[in-house]
Structure formats: C-alpha cells, structure tokens
Amino acid sequence: MRKNIVAGNWKMNNDLAQTETLITDLKAQTQTSNAEVMIAPTATNLWQAYQTLKDTSGIEVIAQNMHFAENGAYTGEVSAAMLKSVGVTTVILGHSERREYFNETDALLAKKVDAALANDMRTIFCFGEELADRKAGNEEAVVEAQIKNALFHLGADAFKNIVLAYEPVWAIGTGETASPEQAQDMHAFIRKTLADTYGAEVADNMSILYGGSVKPANAQEIFSKPDVDGGLIGGAALKATDFYAIVNAF
Ligand code: 13P
C-alpha cells in the first residue's frame, strides 16, 4: 500500500555520542502526522540506534548503503546479512553521492537491489538528474534510464519492497529545491513509467519520495502534491525539531 514516508539521511555525520544525543532529541518530539519515520545513521552506529529505538519510538533505523555480496573479500564493505543482524531491514541504494564519489553505476545498483530483495530488505532507491540534464531538457530521459536500468529486470511483486526517491542532484545540499510543480511533474512521470510496464496497481501503490533541500518552510507545499508521498531529508534531518516539523507537514 502507498504510504507517506519521511526518512532522514544523516550521511557521514554524527559519531556515537552525537547519534545518541540526536536520538534523545528525536524521541522528545511529538508526531502528529501519519508518516512512517526513518533515520539512516552511519553504519557504525546502526546497532546502538536500533537498540535505543526498537521498542517504543515508531522510528525505523535504516542503512545508507550496502554491498551486493553476502560476505567475502570486499574490504570495508557491509552486507545485507550484516545489516539484518543489527536489526536493519531497509536500505538506501543509489544515492547520487554514491553514484558520484563511489562510481556506482546502474548495473552495480541492479545487483545491490537484487541482494536487498533476496534478503527480504526494503530498498529506498534514489535517482535524479544533474543540472546540465535539466538545462538540456533531458531530465525525464535520465530518470527513466536510471529507473529502468536498475529496476526493470524485476517482477511486479518485487516493487512491494521498493520505495522510490527522486533527488535532483542540483537540489541536494544546495538550498535550492525543485519547485512543488517540478517535483509533481517528475513524480507523475515516474508513476506513469511504472504503470506503462507494470500496470496501474504497482504504480498506484508505489511511495515516491522527494529529496533535495526539504526544510520545514517548504515541506508542506511539496508534500501537498498528489504524487509526492514523502521526503528523503539530508541537512534538516540533523536537527530534531526541524525533522519533526517536516514529518508533521503531512
Ligand atoms: P539535503 O536535504 O541536505 O539537500 O539532502 C538531500 C539528500 O541527499 C537526502 O538523501
């Protein structure tokens, strides 16, 4: 079923003590919306975050990345099984920072998505065009290719465990957001792309999040659009009051 989701991507911020402080602050907030709430701390702090939040909070602890292999000679990497062993069952894959700084390609991401699904993990799959693509009017073609190359080998059933996150690269960490209309147009295009291949049911049930400089001041307008089902929040997720102002914007 299509759900509203607000997920905080902490990126490479917050050591263990800072993670504990932010989680304490998050637990002190009141949720008035029906959104599912998730936070993605750095890998070293997932277990502690999971232990602190698992029973009462309604906040799911998720991972920012994982490797496609079950285990083996991949120095520095973390597998799906390892994430599951610390209570994590949702993983962000395909973030533009992973694509840009770690050379993650559509083909690699297809393998990661397969590994997540094989381990019964939910994937928040990220994609989005760069500024040059948008200036050239190619944003839909770029997004369509990213989605198709990494996901369209899957059967329809697999999409129950996938959430899509449209994050235009030019809006990430820049203070510049896509306008609510730009977000809506792209989300509608993504839903149509899904519907064309997998049918209306898969498309209608898909949660499509927007990411890129979402703040308390602009969240409500973006979330009011019919095809925007939530947000993937970077900078504003690092302050509990800002994050919950966004969570409660639904
Ligand atoms: P900002 O909210 O800091 O722009 O980051 C968005 C993002 O990359 C979330 O994954």
Side-chain angles (χ1 to χ4, degrees):
M1 214 196 50
R2 192 155 148 193
K3 296 169 187 149
N4 293 330
I5 296 171
V6 177
N9 176 8
W10 291 8
K11 307 190 180 182
M12 198 172 73
N13 294 295
N14 293 329
D15 64 17
L16 184 59
Q18 291 163 329
T19 295
E20 286 173 345
T21 301
L22 181 48
I23 285 176
T24 302
D25 291 350
L26 289 169
K27 285 172 87 172
Q29 304 297 312
T30 304
Q31 183 172 350
T32 56
S33 75
N34 69 352
E36 270 189 44
V37 181
M38 306 175 184
I39 58 168
T42 201
T44 52
N45 301 330
L46 288 170
W47 171 239
Q48 180 67 20
Y50 172 73
Q51 287 297 323
T52 312
L53 289 169
K54 67 179 178 184
D55 292 328
T56 53
S57 67
I59 301 175
E60 183 182 349
V61 176
I62 70 172
Q64 298 176 18
N65 178 39
M66 60 167 231
H67 196 269
F68 60 81
E70 224 25 44
N71 51 49
Y74 297 100
T75 301
E77 293 291 326
V78 172
S79 72
M82 291 167 184
L83 293 176
K84 288 188 83 178
S85 76
V86 296
V88 172
T89 56
T90 300
V91 62
I92 299 170
L93 294 175
H95 193 281
S96 65
E97 289 149 16
R98 300 288 322 168
R99 293 175 190 261
E100 181 178 356
Y101 304 131
F102 302 95
N103 302 319
E104 294 199 357
T105 61
D106 292 344
L108 175 79
L109 291 168
K111 290 167 83 171
K112 290 192 175 199
V113 169
D114 288 347
L117 293 170
N119 282 278
D120 286 325
M121 288 186 71
R122 180 159 62 163
T123 296
I124 300 181
F125 183 74
C126 305
F127 51 87
E129 83 282 2
E130 295 184 21
L131 186 58
D133 302 320
R134 186 161 276 271
K135 282 192 168 156
N138 289 337
E139 64 272 17
E140 288 188 348
V142 168
V143 162
E144 184 177 358
Q146 287 172 324
I147 295 173
K148 287 193 167 171
N149 292 341
L151 302 179
F152 274 31
H153 61 288
L154 299 170
D157 238 27
F159 284 85
K160 291 185 184 136
N161 273 326
I162 290 177
V163 170
L164 298 179
Y166 169 56
E167 297 204 302
V169 176
W170 48 272
I172 294 177
T174 58
E176 188 174 349
T177 48
S179 69
E181 292 70 32
Q182 285 173 321
Q184 168 57 27
D185 286 352
M186 184 59 87
H187 285 221
F189 171 75
I190 294 161
R191 211 177 293 285
K192 181 178 177 306
T193 303
L194 276 177
D196 286 348
T197 300
Y198 290 101
E201 196 182 332
V202 168
D204 289 344
N205 285 327
M206 179 58 63
S207 296
I208 308 177
L209 317 186
Y210 169 79
S213 299
V214 178
K215 309 281 179 220
N218 59 26
Q220 196 157 19
E221 209 187 342
I222 296 171
F223 294 165
S224 72
K225 294 297 178 190
D227 286 300
V228 178
D229 306 308
L232 189 52
I233 319 301
L238 299 175
K239 203 171 148 210
T241 48
D242 284 356
F243 186 58
Y244 268 83
I246 295 168
V247 168
N248 290 333
F250 276 104

